[in-house]
Amino acid sequence: MAVLARSSSPSSLSKLLRPHSVSSLRSFSSSAADDQRVLTIETSVPFTGHRIEPPSRAVDTTPAEILSFFRDMAVMRRMEIAADSLYKAKLIRGFCHLYDGQEAVAVGMEAAITKRDGIITSYRDHCTFLGRGGTLLQAFAELMGRRDGCAKGKGGSMHFYRKEASYYGGHGIVGAQIPLGCGVAFAQKYSKDGSVTFALYGDGAANQGQLFEALNMAALLDLPAILVCENNHYGMGTAEWRAAKSPAYYKRGDYVPGLKVDGMDVLAVKQACIFAKEYALANGPIILEMDTYRYHGHSMSDPGSTYRTRDEISGVRQERDPIERVRKLILSHELASASELKDIEKEVRKEVDDAVAQAKECPVPDPSELFSNVYVKGFGAETFGPDRKEVRSVLP
Amino acid sequence: MATAMALRSFGRRTSIAARGFSGSCETEKAAKDGKPINLFSAINQALHIALDTDPRSVLDHLVGYFLFRCRLIINRVGSLFCAYVFGEDVRFGGVFRCTTGLADRFGRSRVFNTPLCEQGIVGFAIGLAAMGNRAIAEIQFADYIYPAFDQAFTAAPMAYSTKTEDSIVNEAAKFRYRSGNEFNCGGLTIRTPYGAVGHGGHYHSQSPESFFCHVPGLKVVIPRSPQQAKGLLLSCIRDPNPSIFFEPKWLYRLAVEEVPEHDYMLPLSEAEVIRQGSDITLVGWGAQLSVLEQACVEAAKEGISCELIDLRTLIPWDKETVEASVRKTGKLLISHEAPVTGGFGAEISASIAESCFLRLEAPVARICGLDTPFPLVYEQFYMPTKNKILDAIKATVNY
Ligand SMILES: Cc1ncc(C[n+]2csc(CCOP(=O)(O)OP(=O)(O)O)c2C)c(N)n1
Ligand SMILES: [Mg+2]
C-alpha cells in the first residue's frame, strides 16, 4: 500500500528531458573521405553502474556506422508511422504496439552483437525484427496477416520471429519472455560458441515475479543472459513511479550487476551492449536499463495523451530524439550534408511505401493454415467459413 | 432492503448450495424501470453499489440500526468488513472504462492501481479477503489470468475452511486438513473480460473459463447482458465463496438494455430458460447467447422449436434446469467459444448423457471453438457461428 499512498510524482519533465550534450570528437585519421576511420565520440551522459565499474563514455565508431545508424533508425520510424496509418485504415487488425522513439535501443544493440546472439522481446517487436535483418515486406505482410509475413501471417503485430538471425521474437504475455531468454542462454552456454541472449522487457514488466525467478536462475547458473529493461517510463497508462517502489531498474537485480544507459543515444546503447556481452560471457547475467521513450500511445487504442502531457512528449522529441541526435552528430562532424540526409529520408520513405504496396498485394494464408502448426502433424479437423460457401478444410 | 436481506442470508448460507440466493434476491422481472445502458456501464453501476453498500460505508452513511445489525451478523461469521477494487489501471477507469469514477467517489485507498503482476494481484486479493473484506480484483484480460492461475487455485480450498455447517463432510474434512485453520477468502471476486472481439488475435480473445471449472470451491459466472451483468456481479461480490466473473468484452459497448438503477442481485447457480421450445435444448453462456438466439430465430423459420438456456453460473451449475429441458426435448446442443476439447460443454454433455440417457434421441451436439489457438486470421472459421449452430440443430433434430 505504500506505493499506492504516494501522491505526488517524483518523476518530472526535467528528469525525462536531458539535453543532447555536445559530443566531443577526436579524429584519429585526417583523411575525411575515409568511411572506416575511427571516430571516438562521447556518450550524452555517463553510464551509472550497480555493483559494477561502468564502461567508458568514449565510444569508437566510424562515419559509415553513424550513417547506417541514421538510415536504420529512419527506416524504423517510417515503418511505424506507416503501420499507424494501416491500422487506422483497418488493414492491420488485432493489437498493434509501435516502437517509434525507442529505435536507438534496437539499432545500438545490433551494432554490438552478431546474429548468433539471441534476442527475445515483448509485443513491441517490429523494429527489433528489422534490426535482425527482417525485411519491410515481411514486416508489413505479417502486420496485415498475409502469407509473406515473417510468421506466415499467423502471428500478427505481436509475434514477429526470425530464426536464422536468432530472433526468438515477440511475446504477448508481459514478462513471459524473460525466463525464455534465460533458457536460450543456457543452451548457448552449452554450445560454447561465445553467443549470448538479450532478453528485453518493459518497465511495467519489471514488476512481474517472473523476472526475479529468471534472474535468480540465470545468476545461479552463470548464464550469458543480458536482461534489457527498456524503460519508456510507462506501462500502458501507468507511470513507472506509480508501479515500482524503486524505478531504478538497473539496480533491481540486487545481486546481479546493472548499468543505466541513455537509451536515446545509439552509441551509448552500443557501448553498453558490447560491455554487457563481454561481461556476461565471463561472469553471468547483467541488467541494462535503457532510458527511452515511446512517442505513440501504448497501443493503437491508446491516444497516449491522457496520462502524460503533450509538453512532455514534444519536449522529448526536441531534446532527446535518437534520430535527431545522430543527425546533429553527422552535421557537426560533416559526415554528410543536411540535404544528403534529407535524400536518405526520401529514399527511406519510398522504400517503406513500396513495401506497403507490395504487402497489400500479398494473399491471405490458406484456410488450412488455421490447423497447421498446432501439432507437428495436423490432427484433422473440419470446418467451413461463416457463410458456409467457403472451402471446407480437412487435414490429416 | 433486498441487500439487507441478502447480507443476512450470508450468515446462514456458506455452502456451495446449488441455489445460492434464490430466496433472498429480486429477480430481473421485478424491475423494468431502468435506463438503457451498455454492459460496461452496468458493471460500473454494480461496482459503485458494491463499494457503497459494504458494511463500513453503510455505517458511514447512517442508514441506521437495521443495517448495523446486519453488520453484527456478518462480523459473527467473520467476514465482510470493507470492499476494495483494484487491478492494472483501474483507478483511471481500466481499459474498458468499467471502473470509471470509482476512485473519485470512494477514494484511492479503496480503489487503486496495482503494478503489472497478476499473481501478486490475486494473491493479495486472497489475503485481503481472508481478513474479512470484499476484494474485487480486476485482471485486465482473461488471456492474462494465467500468471494468477496458481493463486486462483489457492483461493478455492481456502473457501471451504469457513465455519460452514452444511458443507459436505468429506470436503469439509479435506479442506480443513489443507488449511489447518479457519480462514476463508469468500469475499474474493475476480473480474476479467473474456472472449472474441472480431480482431483480437491470440492474446485478447481467449475464453479460459473451463480451466477454472475444474476447481471445486470456485464459482465461475458469465453474464449475457447488461442487466444480467449487474445482478450477477453483485451476487458474486456478496457470495461467501470466491468467484471468477468473466465479462463478455464484445458486449461492453454493443449490448444495451434497460438496467434497474437500484441494488439488485440475480441468483447464482440458477440457469435461465430464455426461450421456450420443444424440439431441442440449446445451452450457452455469455456473448454466445446472442449467437444462439439468432440461430433459434432462423430455426423457427424452418419449423424447429428451440429451447434456449443461459447457464449463467458454470460451477456449480444448474443441472436440474438443463435436465428438465432435455427430458422435454430429447435433444441437446451446447455452444461456447473456447475450444471444444475439454471445454465446459464436455462436462455438460457427459452429465446429461448420464442422467438423461434413455431420454436422448440424438447425440449431444457441441458447437464450439476449434481445437486451435485463437487465430489472428480466420477468426470466423474458428468461431461457433450462427450457421454452424443452425446446421447442427438441423442435423440433431433430424437424427
Ligand atoms: C500478463 C499480462 N498482463 C497484462 C497484459 C496487458 N498489457 C500489455 S502491455 C502492458 C504494459 C506493459 O508495459 P511495459 O512493460 O512498460 O512495456 P511497454 O509497453 O512500455 O513497452 C500491459 C499491462 C499482458 N499483455 N500480459
Ligand atoms: Mg514501458
Side-chain angles (χ1 to χ4, degrees):
Chain A
M1 295 288 263
V3 180
L4 302 153
R6 264 195 277 168
S7 57
S8 70
S9 159
S11 108
S12 65
L13 211 56
S14 61
K15 197 177 145 223
L16 286 172
L17 301 182
R18 233 178 289 105
H20 294 292
S21 68
V22 183
S23 313
S24 69
L25 166 83
R26 276 172 288 138
S27 174
F28 291 117
S29 156
S30 53
S31 107
D34 182 7
D35 268 4
Q36 300 304 326
R37 80 197 136 106
V38 176
L39 301 176
T40 304
I41 290 172
E42 191 164 86
T43 59
S44 55
V45 289
F47 299 101
T48 321
H50 164 69
R51 286 177 181 264
I52 198 164
E53 191 56 42
S56 147
R57 283 177 75 175
V59 189
D60 285 350
T61 179
T62 63
E65 186 177 63
I66 295 183
L67 283 165
S68 74
F69 286 164
F70 180 81
R71 192 173 207 289
D72 291 349
M73 290 196 286
V75 173
M76 291 175 180
R77 176 79 46 98
R78 195 65 218 163
M79 173 177 76
E80 296 298 59
I81 289 165
D84 176 288
S85 335
L86 288 171
Y87 192 92
K88 286 174 181 151
K90 292 200 167 11
L91 283 160
I92 296 175
R93 310 308 309 274
F95 283 64
C96 182
H97 309 79
L98 303 180
Y99 198 72
D100 49 327
Q102 303 183 204
E103 298 92 343
V105 177
V107 171
M109 185 168 62
E110 287 296 346
I113 64 177
T114 75
K115 298 289 186 278
R116 281 226 306 273
D117 294 313
I119 298 183
I120 189 165
T121 186
S122 67
Y123 42 82
R124 206 177 292 285
D125 58 353
H126 313 162
C127 293
T128 319
F129 171 75
L130 283 194
R132 294 267 86 184
T135 66
L136 283 167
L137 174 61
Q138 287 170 323
F140 284 118
E142 190 57 47
L143 282 168
M144 291 190 268
R146 306 300 171 93
R147 213 175 276 190
D148 291 356
C150 53
K152 296 188 202 157
K154 292 171 80 165
S157 162
M158 310 208 294
H159 309 285
F160 281 27
Y161 304 88
R162 188 169 164 82
K163 192 176 180 189
E164 62 200 279
S166 315
Y167 184 36
Y168 298 91
H171 294 257
I173 298 301
V174 169
Q177 72 276 16
I178 313 168
L180 266 63
C182 292
V184 173
F186 184 75
Q188 286 172 326
K189 187 178 165 119
Y190 259 79
S191 72
K192 293 201 173 74
D193 66 352
S195 60
V196 300
T197 288
F198 287 75
L200 279 66
Y201 58 95
D203 48 297
N207 301 312
Q208 284 279 18
Q210 299 201 44
L211 168 61
F212 301 93
E213 299 177 21
L215 261 176
N216 185 39
M217 286 176 73
L220 275 173
L221 299 166
D222 298 327
L223 300 182
I226 294 134
L227 306 194
V228 184
C229 178
E230 286 187 273
N231 181 6
N232 57 17
H233 304 279
Y234 297 90
M236 290 186 110
T238 305
E240 54 176 353
W241 61 270
R242 290 183 194 275
K245 180 73 186 171
S246 159
Y249 299 99
Y250 68 109
K251 287 186 187 166
R252 285 177 51 166
D254 181 12
Y255 44 86
V256 172
L259 201 61
K260 182 162 181 182
V261 184
D262 180 0
M264 303 298 263
D265 176 354
V266 63
L267 288 166
V269 173
K270 175 186 151 184
Q271 184 85 329
C273 291
I274 294 173
F275 175 83
K277 180 174 171 179
E278 234 175 73
Y279 177 88
L281 282 171
N283 309 288
I286 176 170
I287 294 180
L288 299 180
E289 177 186 344
M290 303 287 181
D291 178 357
T292 183
Y293 201 79
R294 67 164 152 75
Y295 295 145
H296 261 93
H298 166 74
S299 71
M300 294 307 300
S301 45
D302 165 25
S305 51
T306 50
Y307 47 85
R308 52 185 191 179
T309 61
R310 296 214 180 268
D311 285 353
E312 179 183 303
I313 306 169
S314 62
V316 174
R317 275 189 193 276
Q318 275 162 27
E319 312 279 336
R320 296 183 63 207
D321 185 82
I323 300 180
E324 292 314 309
R325 167 186 291 281
V326 171
R327 189 195 307 272
K328 277 186 197 153
L329 201 63
I330 292 173
L331 295 177
S332 68
H333 299 123
E334 294 173 355
L335 306 175
S337 69
S339 77
E340 281 168 329
L341 294 183
K342 283 264 177 283
D343 288 345
I344 294 181
E345 284 174 309
K346 259 188 230 150
E347 250 173 64
V348 162
R349 187 180 289 234
K350 178 161 186 328
E351 236 175 84
V352 169
D353 290 348
D354 289 351
V356 169
Q358 237 182 311
K360 281 182 182 166
E361 297 305 313
C362 284
V364 295
D366 190 79
S368 66
E369 286 289 355
L370 182 54
F371 308 101
S372 60
N373 314 128
V374 180
Y375 293 100
V376 172
K377 282 187 182 158
F379 58 95
E382 185 181 343
T383 189
F384 45 84
D387 56 1
R388 278 177 293 179
K389 285 180 196 123
E390 288 184 58
V391 224
R392 279 171 190 268
S393 3
V394 187
L395 282 176
Chain B
M1 291 303 101
T3 320
M5 280 167 62
L7 287 176
R8 229 178 328 167
S9 78
F10 284 130
R12 288 182 244 112
R13 290 175 182 277
T14 41
S15 74
I16 50 158
R19 286 164 193 260
F21 289 99
S22 45
S24 61
C25 63
E26 297 178 31
T27 69
E28 57 268 52
K29 284 159 224 112
K32 284 277 183 208
D33 56 345
K35 284 196 203 128
I37 56 171
N38 63 21
L39 195 130
F40 82 71
S41 309
I43 302 273
N44 187 259
Q45 262 190 19
L47 291 172
H48 269 96
I49 291 170
L51 286 171
D52 210 21
T53 53
D54 79 86
R56 182 182 293 170
S57 61
V58 166
L59 278 180
D60 293 347
H61 289 114
L62 298 172
V63 173
Y65 176 72
F66 177 69
L67 289 174
F68 177 68
R69 278 195 48 204
C70 291
R71 187 185 173 188
L72 293 184
I73 292 160
I74 286 152
N75 283 349
R76 239 189 297 135
V77 299
S79 68
L80 307 180
F81 285 107
C82 191
Y84 300 87
V85 170
F86 50 92
E88 290 159 22
D89 284 356
V90 301
R91 204 180 97 197
F92 312 130
V95 171
F96 294 103
R97 320 308 305 153
C98 291
T99 53
T100 306
L102 292 173
D104 292 342
R105 168 107 184 265
F106 300 101
R108 293 170 182 189
S109 47
R110 290 181 65 197
V111 180
F112 51 87
N113 288 341
T114 62
L116 211 176
C117 52
E118 288 74 11
Q119 188 175 19
I121 294 168
V122 174
F124 177 96
I126 294 170
L128 186 60
M131 292 296 286
N133 300 290
R134 285 187 185 124
I136 308 166
E138 175 177 303
I139 298 294
Q140 201 170 62
F141 282 86
D143 311 61
Y144 308 145
I145 205 167
Y146 303 114
F149 207 50
D150 175 64
Q151 293 289 5
F153 280 112
T154 306
M158 282 185 73
Y160 277 119
S161 60
T162 64
K163 299 169 188 168
T164 56
E165 283 104 44
D166 48 357
S167 290
I168 302 158
V169 172
N170 215 1
E171 284 177 338
K174 193 153 67 191
F175 291 120
R176 283 212 177 85
Y177 174 80
R178 289 190 72 178
S179 64
N181 54 37
E182 302 215 323
F183 287 118
N184 76 87
C185 64
L188 169 70
T189 303
I190 301 170
R191 297 177 37 244
T192 188
Y194 87 98
V197 280
H199 61 275
H202 310 303
Y203 289 112
H204 296 92
S205 309
Q206 297 173 47
S207 300
E209 70 273 5
S210 73
F211 290 110
F212 297 94
C213 292
H214 203 57
V215 190
L218 284 180
K219 289 195 173 183
V220 175
V221 178
I222 310 184
R224 69 168 185 274
S225 72
Q227 199 189 81
Q228 293 283 313
K230 180 175 171 183
L232 288 170
L233 178 56
L234 280 166
S235 295
C236 281
I237 291 168
R238 291 162 178 170
D239 190 272
N241 298 286
S243 41
I244 304 192
F245 190 74
F246 287 103
E247 299 168 5
K249 62 173 154 321
W250 203 329
L251 304 185
Y252 271 139
R253 285 164 200 280
L254 220 59
V256 177
E257 73 179 343
E258 287 190 0
V259 176
E261 274 175 54
H262 65 267
D263 183 352
Y264 67 96
M265 295 193 287
L266 295 174
L268 300 185
S269 290
E270 215 172 272
E272 188 187 353
V273 178
I274 54 180
R275 208 185 153 97
Q276 304 270 356
S278 53
D279 296 331
I280 182 169
T281 302
L282 311 186
V283 176
W285 47 87
Q288 194 57 13
L289 256 294
S290 69
V291 182
L292 284 164
E293 188 135 36
Q294 290 164 30
C296 290
V297 172
E298 296 271 313
K301 288 183 196 154
E302 307 192 23
I304 302 172
S305 154
C306 303
E307 179 143 308
L308 180 57
I309 298 179
D310 179 3
L311 201 59
R312 304 201 285 193
T313 301
L314 273 65
I315 48 160
W317 65 289
D318 180 0
K319 282 186 196 156
E320 292 88 346
T321 299
V322 179
E323 270 174 32
S325 174
V326 174
R327 290 219 165 79
K328 183 172 75 174
T329 63
K331 287 154 223 116
L332 174 63
L333 180 149
I334 307 149
S335 181
H336 55 67
E337 280 180 29
V340 60
T341 300
F344 197 64
E347 176 58 37
I348 299 173
S349 172
S351 295
I352 294 301
E354 275 168 21
S355 57
C356 306
F357 183 67
L358 293 175
R359 187 61 196 88
L360 279 172
E361 293 163 19
V364 177
R366 285 181 292 154
I367 302 302
C368 306
L370 300 177
D371 285 332
T372 72
F374 198 100
L376 177 72
V377 286
Y378 297 120
E379 176 169 323
Q380 283 297 298
F381 279 58
Y382 170 92
M383 292 289 281
T385 52
K386 181 192 74 183
N387 284 339
K388 291 183 186 180
I389 293 166
L390 197 53
D391 282 359
I393 289 174
K394 287 188 215 158
T396 305
V397 169
N398 299 322
Y399 185 77

